[in-house]
Amino acid sequence: MQILLSELAQQETSLIQSQQSYPLWSPYSADEAADTMLKVLEASQSQDHG
């Protein structure tokens, strides 16, 4: 079991390499996603009251 865990840990650390940049998603400045969520919310509220 310990051998498997060790191998898994090595595989996971090899996915991220030093001296390399990776994109990071952030909810900030996600205006299009916020607009889509607002439209869905408004549509669901109008169906509930309709």
Side-chain angles (χ1 to χ4, degrees):
M1 184 72 165
Q2 189 172 7
I3 293 171
L4 292 175
L5 290 174
S6 175
E7 288 178 7
L8 182 60
Q10 287 176 349
Q11 288 175 359
E12 287 183 356
T13 56
S14 68
L15 295 176
I16 299 175
Q17 300 175 1
S18 63
Q19 305 300 322
Q20 187 166 346
S21 63
Y22 294 92
L24 179 63
W25 182 84
S26 170
Y28 300 106
S29 299
D31 299 328
E32 186 177 332
D35 186 51
T36 301
M37 291 177 67
L38 182 60
K39 288 177 182 176
V40 169
L41 178 63
E42 289 172 344
S44 71
Q45 287 179 345
S46 67
Q47 288 177 356
D48 291 342
H49 297 292

